[in-house]
Amino acid sequence: GKYAEAKKFHNQVLQQDSEARKNSPLLTTLLNASGNLQEVSARMLDARGRGLELDIAHYGCLLKALRRAAEADRSFRVLHTMLEKGIEPTVVEYTITLGACDQAFEETH
């Protein structure tokens, strides 16, 4: 509900503090505030472009946005990407992905 405020604060911090551009918890907080898949994806791409190494928390936020969007196939691709990057998904990421499968099933039946 407070995503617009979180986004504004995030942008202000990035403008004022060059070290914040690589602050992983700051990005995770913003991603968790967003429920929009497009916004989460765009913020993650922007962070990677700034040199921030994405971690399991960032991918978890993306998986949650994919679950809300009922994007089961994309969720599995994210898990695969994590594994390729040496990030071992936990039961949390697998559970979120199963939730995306459930959402996709509900939308088609």
Side-chain angles (χ1 to χ4, degrees), residues 8 19 45 62 83 104:
K8 181 179 175 183
E19 288 301 309
L45 284 173
L62 179 57
L83 290 168

Side-chain angles (χ1 to χ4, degrees), residues 4-80:
E5 292 173 37
K7 183 177 175 181
K8 181 179 175 183
F9 175 74
H10 183 262
N11 290 335
Q12 288 172 343
V13 170
L14 291 180
Q15 289 175 354
Q16 295 172 1
D17 184 359
S18 62
E19 288 301 309
R21 299 177 68 76
K22 294 187 179 183
N23 184 309
S24 181
L26 181 65
L27 176 62
T28 302
T29 300
L30 180 65
L31 295 176
N32 274 320
S34 174
N36 181 307
L37 176 57
Q38 291 174 326
E39 188 67 32
V40 170
S41 297
R43 287 291 172 161
M44 287 180 69
L45 284 173
D46 178 59
R48 282 186 22 212
R50 292 192 318 267
L52 180 67
E53 190 69 31
L54 299 177
D55 62 25
I56 196 166
H58 303 127
Y59 285 106
C61 293
L62 179 57
L63 286 168
K64 286 189 281 185
L66 289 166
R67 178 186 61 200
R68 284 189 290 274
E71 293 278 354
D73 290 338
R74 288 179 65 190
S75 294
F76 281 106
R77 288 196 299 268
V78 169
L79 289 177
H80 183 74

Side-chain angles (χ1 to χ4, degrees), residues 64-103:
K64 286 189 281 185
L66 289 166
R67 178 186 61 200
R68 284 189 290 274
E71 293 278 354
D73 290 338
R74 288 179 65 190
S75 294
F76 281 106
R77 288 196 299 268
V78 169
L79 289 177
H80 183 74
T81 298
M82 290 172 68
L83 290 168
E84 285 179 338
K85 294 183 176 289
I87 301 171
E88 186 69 34
T90 68
V91 68
V92 172
E93 288 76 33
Y94 287 114
T95 302
I96 294 168
T97 300
L98 289 174
C101 294
D102 183 56
Q103 291 292 329

